[in-house]
Amino acid sequence: MVIAGIVIVVATFIAIIKQFETRLVLLLSGLLMCFIGGQLGAGTTAFVKELTNPGLVPTICTVLGFSYVMEYTKCTEHMVYFISAGLKKMTKIIIPGAVIITFLINIALPTAAGCAAAVGALLIPALIRSGVHPAMAGSAIFLGTWGSALSPGLMFNPQVAQLAGEDVMTVIASFSMQAIIGIVVAAILLNIVAIVKKEHTGYVLKDANEEEGKEFKVNYLYAIIPIIPLVLLVLGSKQVAVIPEISVPVSMLIGTAIGIIAVRPNVTEAVKKFFRGTGDGMCDVVGLMAAAAAFTAGMQYIGLTSALIDGMKNSQQIAQIGAAFGPFLLAVISGSGNAAALAFNGAVTPHAADFGYGIMQLGSMAQLGAGIGRSMSPVAGAGIIIAGLAGINPMEMAKRNAVPCIIATVVIMLLLL
């Protein structure tokens, strides 16, 4: 049965890499493994249980709803302009500055593709006009699109929090310093790559007289609204405790209400956007997590999980490298490390103590590896969007981001595990 499980798992990830519908592939594979293991009902039970998970569903759905309202009210646009306004003045560190700005914005906008579109549309032209080569400009934005790792709305953080029996902000606090060090290392390395390739300055647009466009007038109130939920969560966290502890769904609802009151859009349309976001969160994120839960159940009942854990018990280094580079490699190849990270956290992370690690550390490393790996994938959705904005081939960004991403993953792995 273990051999059959290995064959099914390999076939599953090959299908995902070939761009088959991820949720369908995970669900069918999970049900097949449960059937072989004599527990067909276990797969459907795990699937349904995850769809109604009270710890995950409200968090994911309200985060997406809030994000949709911020887009509709243009608060996101004001925030991007506000945060990036000083970038043009930092000519000597313009490339690492762009990486870190994108990283910070991605915390508030936790979807990589959405962040890529919002930030790329503004910063890529600014970088190019400052003399940065288009491929390097795109690489800088792409490299920053794993800032969502520090977002309470990213699917993995609530998942790990539930496994560890902790709140989401405690989980994020457990690896935030390592992640910050990782993005700084990656940004510096990309700047070195740019200097070596002589792509950090000197590029001239073919049309030197290209219009800059109308000056955008930032409304500072609108600009800070997208970060209000994050501020509330930090202030109410166990580590800060300035205000009473607040849940992620409540913070998102408060941020949504403040946005609607401050901007005064068409309230009916704003509410529709919120619920459209919650619906897409259920469809795109919770649905994926439910399918991954069925897949994890299949791995368990076919005997693959116990075999994998027994193998990892023999070497702490295997668990360390597997958590970091398993999701990383799949993310590079497929453009999304979600399936690998979800499966790893479902099957292996609960047994972290057997390998000498904590659940928060092992689970967080898996999702960080997936996020960083996606930031050098030539087939990632965010990368394709950025490549289009920069007018380049996505492979050009993948080549430039390879060294920063690999070394950043190694640095975080050594610091976290």
Side-chain angles (χ1 to χ4, degrees):
M1 288 205 303
V2 171
I3 293 173
I6 293 172
V7 171
I8 293 170
V9 169
V10 171
T12 298
F13 287 122
I14 289 174
I16 291 171
I17 289 167
K18 289 184 174 293
Q19 306 297 312
F20 284 90
E21 165 54 47
T22 303
R23 289 163 294 191
L24 177 63
V25 172
L26 288 173
L27 180 58
L28 291 180
S29 298
L31 294 177
L32 177 59
M33 286 189 287
C34 284
F35 174 74
I36 294 173
Q39 296 286 340
L40 178 60
T44 54
T45 299
F47 180 80
V48 172
K49 184 179 179 180
E50 199 72 1
L51 284 178
T52 57
N53 189 321
L56 296 176
V57 176
T59 295
I60 301 299
C61 292
T62 52
V63 167
L64 267 291
F66 170 73
S67 179
Y68 277 40
V69 172
M70 292 300 98
E71 291 282 350
Y72 174 67
T73 57
K74 305 289 186 184
C75 289
T76 295
E77 189 174 1
H78 285 272
M79 181 188 68
V80 171
Y81 270 91
F82 173 58
I83 293 178
S84 60
L87 184 63
K88 296 178 183 178
K89 302 175 184 178
M90 302 186 298
T91 54
K92 292 186 178 180
I93 57 169
I94 193 168
I95 291 172
V99 174
I100 292 171
I101 283 172
T102 306
F103 184 87
L104 294 174
I105 292 174
N106 195 207
I107 299 174
L109 300 176
T111 62
C115 177
V119 179
L122 174 66
L123 289 190
I124 289 175
L127 288 166
I128 294 173
R129 285 193 294 268
S130 298
V132 177
H133 189 280
M136 187 54 65
S139 297
I141 306 305
F142 194 24
L143 187 58
T145 56
W146 60 275
S148 57
L150 297 179
S151 170
L154 186 69
M155 69 179 81
F156 305 110
N157 288 324
Q159 181 194 33
V160 173
Q162 192 169 55
L163 290 173
E166 295 283 357
D167 63 280
V168 175
M169 296 309 293
T170 297
V171 171
I172 294 172
S174 72
F175 67 85
S176 57
M177 185 55 64
Q178 292 89 338
I180 292 170
I181 293 172
I183 191 61
V184 170
V185 168
I188 292 171
L189 288 172
L190 184 65
N191 199 43
I192 293 172
V193 171
I195 293 170
V196 171
K197 295 176 72 68
K198 298 181 179 179
E199 293 180 348
H200 63 300
T201 187
Y203 182 81
V204 180
L205 282 168
K206 292 180 181 179
D207 183 4
N209 295 319
E210 181 183 8
E211 291 186 9
E212 293 282 322
K214 294 182 179 179
E215 187 69 24
F216 185 88
K217 187 175 181 180
V218 175
N219 183 307
Y220 296 106
L221 173 61
Y222 295 1
I224 65 172
I225 290 174
I227 66 171
I228 286 176
L230 291 175
V231 172
L232 292 175
L233 288 168
V234 170
L235 293 179
S237 66
K238 294 177 181 178
Q239 294 73 27
V240 179
V242 173
I243 62 174
E245 187 175 351
I246 188 170
S247 70
V248 176
V250 170
S251 71
M252 295 299 159
L253 290 171
I254 291 173
T256 300
I258 292 173
I260 292 174
I261 292 170
V263 180
R264 297 189 299 278
N266 183 308
V267 176
T268 300
E269 286 301 315
V271 172
K272 286 181 179 179
K273 291 291 183 182
F274 178 82
F275 284 104
R276 172 55 58 192
T278 62
D280 284 352
M282 189 72 184
C283 172
D284 298 333
V285 182
V286 178
L288 176 60
M289 297 182 74
F295 180 76
T296 300
M299 289 178 61
Q300 177 184 345
Y301 286 104
I302 206 170
L304 190 57
T305 299
S306 58
L308 185 64
I309 290 168
D310 288 340
M312 287 188 171
K313 282 181 181 178
N314 297 326
S315 174
Q316 190 180 42
Q317 284 69 38
I318 292 176
Q320 179 187 39
I321 295 170
F325 284 98
F328 177 94
L329 291 174
L330 188 69
V332 173
I333 296 169
S334 68
S336 172
N338 291 346
L342 287 171
F344 187 93
N345 281 345
V348 179
T349 299
H351 307 277
D354 294 336
F355 321 129
Y357 296 119
I359 287 177
M360 290 192 293
Q361 285 69 42
L362 200 66
S364 298
M365 187 66 251
Q367 67 109 335
L368 286 167
I372 300 172
R374 189 198 61 239
S375 297
M376 61 166 281
S377 171
V379 293
I384 292 170
I385 290 170
I386 292 168
L389 292 170
I392 57 172
N393 188 308
M395 186 59 72
E396 295 300 312
M397 298 189 301
K399 290 188 293 186
R400 288 162 174 79
N401 283 357
V403 171
C405 285
I406 292 170
I407 293 181
T409 303
V410 172
V411 168
I412 294 174
M413 180 185 72
L414 295 175
L415 291 174
L416 192 59
L417 301 178

